[in-house]
Amino acid sequence: MSIGAVVRRVRAYGGQFLLLAALAAVTLALIAGVPRLVNGRTEAGLQSFLRSQPATVRDVTYATDTIFNAGNGTSLMEAFAADLPRLQDEMPPPVRALVDQRWFTAETDPGRLTGPDLAARNLLVDLGLRSMPGVAEAGRLTGGRWPDPTATAEDPVEIALAAEVAGKLNLRVGSKLTLAGPQSATPEGAPDPVRALVVGVFEPRDRAGGFWDGLPQALRVIEPIGDAQPFVALGVVDPATLDRLSADGWGLRFAWRYRMGASGIHAVDADRLIGDVDRMGRQAQGRAFTQGLDIPLRQFQDQVASVRTVLAVSATGALGALAGLVILAAGLTVRRRRTEFTLLRARGGTALVGARRSLSESLLVLLPAAGAGFALGNLAPGPAAESASAAAVAATLLIVLALPLATLALPTGVAQRRDLVTMRPSARRITMEAGLVLLAVIGVLLLRRRGLVPGVVDPLLVSVPVLLAVAAAVLTIRLYPWPLRLLGRLAARTRGSVAFLGSARGARAVVTTPLVVVVLAVASAAFCGVVAAGVEASRDRVAARQVPADGLIRGERLAPDTAAELARLPGVRRASPFLQEAGQRLATDEDGTDLRVGEVSVLLVNGPELEALVRDADVPVGVPDALLGSGDAGPLPAVVSPAVAADLAAAGRDGSAFVGVQGQRYEFRVAARADSFPLLRGETTRFVVLPWQQLPRRTTDVTPTGFLVAGDRLDVSELRRVGNEGQRRFARGGTIVGREQPLDVEVTTWAEARRQVGEGGVNAVLGFGFTAGAVVGTALGLLAVAFVVLAGARARGQALSQLRTLGLSRGQSRGLLLVELGPLVGVAVVTGAVVGALLPLLLNPVLGLSAFTGGAPVEVAFEPRLVVGVVVLGAVALGFAIVVEALNNRRTRLGEALRLGEES
């Protein structure tokens, strides 16, 4: 077979081969390009996720217990400092390559510190001594000097303190101190106290640089945890000082800390990196090994697994639609060449002759088109998927073989009549279709019962949506002609022929494969849209649970008049207080007899104010009716968690129990139960919510710990200013005055909370997948509609030409086309949309969508916007179908359609 003959045949049917080549190029471009785009966004999401975490989670730390000098003259400092590079060399190569910074520290256990400056303020202090090589470069002296490495044993221990530590402990350069030996002593007892001298005060050059992140931190004082407990601090000394103290019986603890660079951690290596870090912990050889790197990596991998599942469902639908389009294009090409292949058989050729002819044409046209599409897809940014090449080879092979296989399947001889009133399907076909529907139902039941196979893309999960779409299309094909026939009978009794002829031809239309492709493509787009809407709505609810208003101000205790101050700010319409206290015990009476059922978190809200504020802010939060009353005698109505309700019911106290709030006890009863409540953390499972407006009057009123505000264009800095002033007013006017100023209030807007829920991790990948799936599905659906039109274009052309000769006007011919194609296109689009909307409801338990909403369950429900989308898509599809039909009629010219010997 000469190449020239192949080229001539390709040129003769250039339009059909151009369509096949375009489909091949698009399919291979998607196979090569989409994984790259997904992997690139996954990589960017990992980097963003790691950078959003504290840098300390990327630290790997080895530490020892207290070690005492053996008295053999060995310098412990030099011996253990040499382990810093050695430990790094022993790490697995992937982990070793990630090390960006490393530090070595040695320190003593804290000992009691005394001195005149401490006594002046009656301060009880324990001080540890730490050697930090490189401290002179990481710190900047604000007074004095660094400890002298040439100091002798007769000199006092020279100490440098952080400025914050020195200020809080009333120490300065020149302060003379006495440091007692720590309690972790040798069998001979605690070492003798030593004289100490503060020789320098410093500040960090870069507090966030990592050098100062070792625990406990040398830049801060650890506050006492109770009465008669000491402040705990660290002072910086020279390594030689620790060697001298070690020789005198002081114990030393050593630590080696390595920080991994975030830019070197790649998503594809996450599983291997987690395994390497776990193996390092098992091989620590007696040292304490701590690391937090595996926690964010495991969280990210869980999100990746979930997004891979969702994208697999969407991609399978799109690839299935593309495969259907290739089959349609191949069938259309072969059908247009039916006479040619029939003539070959009549001249003695076998079926393989036509297949070889089609294969040579496919190799000439489709193989280069597939290669060009694959090359184009590889231009997309991002790393390639490992399986992309194998998938591309398999797809290319199937596309190239589509035309020869269609040629082999082409029936020869007399064409089957397609203008009969009813074309009865064979028993074999009915059996296959019934089996397909049954298989789809069984697949759904198995998937919901069995769940997913963890860590992989589940073949059952990706096949069930396609089976459901195909089964729905098959049922539609069998059902939709019946109402059209009824409509035809009704139209026959009316005047005019357009409605009757259009409904009659629509009921006889046989377009099984194009309709299946339309349903599959539209279902893929609808699935992406419905899941995306469900995820967005769930994120809104999560943000509303964190901030059930336009803005949230949370602090320690704020003066009650802060609400009035907030209301006077520009843009603020409402402000309502709340009070939250954790760790409260339930009691059986006002005297505080413990109920012994565990601690609870207590939340006080003004129910009516909260309801009005939530309505004003338009956030998806409901306020239980139990919190809306104005106040009655007796126990307060409370909303409690199921765990607290069960405990109270078991103790027989669900009608009367007491809980402490800011030192006072209030009686309450269980009025309602709730799994969660706004303002409380998602992991809070034990809580009691009381109505503020119903609290009985007491000598001392409760004080709010925060405020909710509703308004427009809120100024966060102004909210923070008013909140801080409210804290200071309460601190000055309260009955208890703290030693220090309270920390600044925390201000969060609903928009900020919503942004935090929806960004980072693989959320960008998920958004890209939803958008791409919806766009690709819609485009493929419209292309399939074009095939629906072309599948019966020749027959419609013949009928329209005959009717035009009988007097049918041009307007009536357009109406006939609209009546014939409208039900078909509409039913296909609606069926695809219904299947796409039902898929999330059926698959929601196994999709793992909660990974994208901070752990909150995703409630996939009916999406009203889907109706609008279906109407718009149906109108566009119908208009597109009419345009395609008009262009096809103009190209073929209706008069030529009446030539004998041509079938539809």
Side-chain angles (χ1 to χ4, degrees):
M1 186 178 297
S2 66
I3 188 66
V6 176
V7 172
R8 285 192 295 272
R9 291 196 300 272
V10 170
R11 290 182 60 187
Y13 298 95
Q16 285 75 27
F17 282 107
L18 180 62
L19 179 59
L20 279 170
L23 289 174
V26 169
T27 302
L28 270 296
L30 291 177
I31 290 176
V34 171
R36 282 181 173 272
L37 294 173
V38 170
N39 291 342
R41 283 165 171 76
T42 303
E43 192 70 32
L46 176 59
Q47 297 300 317
S48 173
F49 182 67
L50 290 176
R51 291 191 176 94
S52 68
Q53 304 291 316
T56 52
V57 302
R58 291 182 273 115
D59 286 352
V60 172
T61 304
Y62 295 91
T64 68
D65 293 329
T66 302
I67 297 177
F68 296 92
N69 197 312
N72 56 8
T74 302
S75 170
L76 293 181
M77 293 297 298
E78 293 180 0
F80 285 97
D83 287 343
L84 186 64
R86 183 182 65 80
L87 289 174
Q88 181 176 348
D89 292 338
E90 293 176 354
M91 294 178 181
V95 180
R96 183 171 62 245
L98 291 176
V99 175
D100 186 41
Q101 294 174 291
R102 62 187 186 184
W103 302 278
F104 167 72
T105 61
E107 62 188 63
T108 68
D109 289 326
R112 185 56 48 85
L113 186 69
T114 56
D117 292 330
L118 297 176
R121 292 193 179 178
N122 196 25
L123 296 176
L124 190 64
V125 178
D126 282 351
L127 183 73
L129 304 179
R130 175 179 288 181
S131 172
M132 308 171 67
V135 66
E137 291 75 24
R140 178 177 59 252
L141 287 171
T142 60
R145 57 177 174 81
W146 295 109
D148 186 2
T150 63
T152 64
E154 288 75 19
D155 297 325
V157 174
E158 296 185 350
I159 302 173
L161 296 174
E164 181 179 329
V165 174
K168 186 164 293 186
L169 300 183
N170 194 37
L171 298 177
R172 63 190 61 83
V173 174
S175 293
K176 295 180 180 181
L177 307 163
T178 300
L179 179 62
Q183 297 302 316
S184 57
T186 63
E188 289 77 17
D192 295 332
V194 296
R195 294 178 296 119
L197 177 67
V198 178
V199 298
V201 177
F202 64 89
E203 290 180 345
R205 296 183 186 273
D206 182 8
R207 186 179 291 269
F211 182 87
W212 304 101
D213 287 340
L215 296 177
Q217 288 196 358
L219 301 178
R220 297 190 181 95
V221 174
I222 300 177
E223 299 285 341
I225 59 176
D227 294 337
Q229 295 296 315
F231 291 90
V232 180
L234 280 174
V236 176
V237 298
D238 186 76
T241 300
L242 290 188
D243 266 336
R244 290 196 303 272
L245 293 175
S246 174
D248 291 338
W250 290 61
L252 300 181
R253 289 183 283 113
F254 302 91
W256 303 263
R257 187 161 55 94
Y258 305 86
R259 176 157 297 176
M260 309 298 158
S263 59
I265 302 176
H266 302 291
V268 69
D269 301 325
D271 288 331
R272 184 177 61 181
L273 185 58
I274 292 172
D276 288 341
V277 172
D278 289 342
R279 188 166 61 254
M280 289 169 59
R282 294 190 298 268
Q283 300 172 352
Q285 298 178 352
R287 294 183 176 90
F289 179 82
T290 57
Q291 57 85 25
L293 183 60
D294 66 329
I295 297 176
L297 289 181
R298 292 182 195 276
Q299 293 174 348
F300 186 80
Q301 287 299 91
D302 291 341
Q303 294 183 4
V304 169
S306 299
V307 78
R308 186 185 293 124
T309 300
V310 177
L311 292 184
V313 174
S314 175
T316 304
L319 291 177
L322 276 171
L325 290 175
V326 170
I327 294 173
L328 288 174
L332 183 63
T333 302
V334 171
R335 191 161 57 247
R336 291 291 172 85
R337 301 173 63 184
R338 181 183 185 127
T339 304
E340 173 188 346
F341 293 124
T342 302
L343 184 60
L344 286 175
R345 295 291 297 274
R347 292 177 176 177
T350 64
L352 293 178
V353 174
R356 285 199 301 268
R357 174 175 290 206
S358 297
L359 179 61
S360 62
E361 296 159 358
S362 295
L363 291 174
L364 180 63
V365 177
L366 302 185
L367 200 59
F374 187 72
L376 182 64
N378 281 320
L379 297 178
E386 295 180 357
S387 59
S389 298
V393 171
T396 302
L397 180 63
L398 293 175
I399 292 173
V400 169
L401 292 179
L403 194 59
L405 292 176
T407 304
L408 288 175
L410 179 70
T412 57
V414 179
Q416 188 179 15
R417 291 283 303 277
R418 292 177 178 265
D419 57 346
L420 300 177
V421 174
T422 301
M423 294 185 64
R424 296 185 179 275
S426 64
R428 178 184 300 176
R429 178 162 184 170
I430 292 177
T431 303
M432 290 180 59
E433 292 176 353
L436 181 64
V437 174
L438 182 62
L439 185 62
V441 174
I442 293 174
V444 173
L445 295 178
L446 286 177
L447 188 60
R448 291 177 64 90
R449 180 182 296 270
R450 188 206 68 181
L452 293 180
V453 177
V456 298
V457 176
D458 196 333
L460 180 61
L461 175 65
V462 299
S463 60
V464 164
V466 176
L467 287 174
L468 280 175
V470 175
V474 168
L475 290 176
T476 301
I477 291 170
R478 294 296 163 226
L479 294 177
Y480 97 95
W482 295 97
L484 284 183
R485 289 169 187 165
L486 178 60
L487 180 63
R489 293 192 184 100
L490 296 176
R493 302 173 184 176
T494 63
R495 299 183 60 183
S497 60
V498 172
F500 169 71
L501 293 174
S503 57
R505 286 189 52 79
R508 293 197 302 267
V510 181
V511 286
T512 303
T513 305
L515 188 65
V516 170
V517 176
V518 174
V519 171
L520 187 57
V522 176
S524 177
F527 169 80
C528 292
V530 171
V531 174
V535 171
E536 290 299 311
S538 298
R539 287 172 176 172
D540 290 344
R541 289 192 294 270
V542 171
R545 190 177 65 190
Q546 297 174 0
V547 184
D550 291 316
L552 166 67
I553 303 169
R554 191 190 298 270
E556 296 178 7
R557 294 193 188 186
L558 293 82
D561 60 355
T562 306
E565 296 293 330
L566 289 170
R568 282 194 285 269
L569 291 178
V572 176
R573 295 189 298 270
R574 294 176 183 270
S576 178
F578 68 88
L579 185 155
Q580 183 177 355
E581 280 192 335
Q584 299 301 308
R585 305 287 301 183
L586 298 179
T588 60
D589 52 44
E590 196 167 357
D591 294 331
T593 304
D594 198 343
L595 196 56
R596 300 184 184 278
V597 293
E599 296 181 343
V600 298
S601 293
V602 181
L603 178 66
L604 268 67
V605 295
N606 189 308
E609 288 186 7
L610 179 61
E611 184 184 41
L613 187 141
V614 164
R615 190 186 310 112
D616 192 355
D618 193 24
V619 293
V621 170
V623 181
D625 294 337
L627 302 177
L628 300 177
S630 58
D632 297 318
L636 297 171
V639 177
V640 302
S641 63
V644 174
D647 288 343
L648 291 174
R653 308 296 304 187
D654 51 346
S656 175
F658 290 80
V659 66
V661 179
Q662 293 183 350
Q664 304 182 74
R665 290 186 179 85
Y666 294 91
E667 186 180 10
F668 71 93
R669 60 180 173 84
V670 177
R673 302 184 185 188
D675 295 328
S676 62
F677 199 85
L679 297 172
L680 297 173
R681 294 182 179 273
E683 62 270 16
T684 302
T685 59
R686 299 182 58 82
F687 59 82
V688 175
V689 184
L690 301 177
W692 193 316
Q693 76 279 4
Q694 298 187 35
L695 292 181
R697 291 189 176 275
R698 298 286 176 86
T699 305
T700 304
D701 293 332
V702 294
T703 305
T705 60
F707 286 88
L708 295 169
V709 297
D712 298 320
R713 295 184 296 275
L714 299 177
D715 189 334
V716 174
S717 61
E718 283 296 296
L719 294 177
R720 184 177 292 108
R721 178 187 63 81
V722 173
N724 288 332
E725 291 177 355
Q727 281 198 144
R728 286 192 290 269
R729 283 198 306 274
F730 174 81
R732 289 194 301 265
T735 58
I736 299 176
V737 179
R739 289 190 299 260
E740 300 178 11
Q741 291 291 333
L743 298 176
D744 287 351
V745 298
E746 176 186 350
V747 179
T748 308
T749 63
W750 184 89
E752 176 64 18
R754 178 63 179 81
R755 184 186 63 81
Q756 292 176 357
V757 173
E759 73 175 8
V762 294
N763 287 302
V765 181
L766 188 69
F768 167 77
F770 286 152
T771 303
V775 172
V776 171
T778 302
L780 294 179
L782 292 175
L783 190 58
V785 168
F787 277 99
V788 171
V789 175
L790 295 176
R794 188 65 60 87
R796 277 193 302 274
Q798 292 177 348
L800 192 59
S801 296
Q802 294 167 351
L803 293 172
R804 289 288 294 275
T805 60
L806 295 175
L808 191 72
S809 66
R810 188 179 299 274
Q812 288 177 319
S813 64
R814 294 194 185 98
L816 178 63
L817 181 63
L818 185 64
V819 173
E820 179 179 347
L821 294 180
L824 185 63
V825 174
V827 166
V829 172
V830 171
T831 303
V834 170
V835 173
L838 290 178
L839 279 176
L841 298 177
L842 297 174
L843 303 180
N844 187 30
V846 297
L847 288 178
L849 297 176
S850 59
F852 313 113
T853 58
V858 175
E859 300 177 4
V860 179
F862 173 74
E863 177 58 40
R865 288 175 294 183
L866 180 63
V867 177
V868 179
V870 169
V871 173
V872 173
L873 180 60
V876 172
L878 186 58
F880 183 67
I882 293 175
V883 170
V884 170
E885 179 75 5
L887 293 176
N888 184 70
N889 290 340
R890 180 175 298 180
R891 184 182 64 86
T892 59
R893 286 178 288 185
L894 291 180
E896 297 181 0
L898 292 176
R899 290 181 299 177
L900 298 177
E902 299 208 12
E903 298 103 2
S904 60

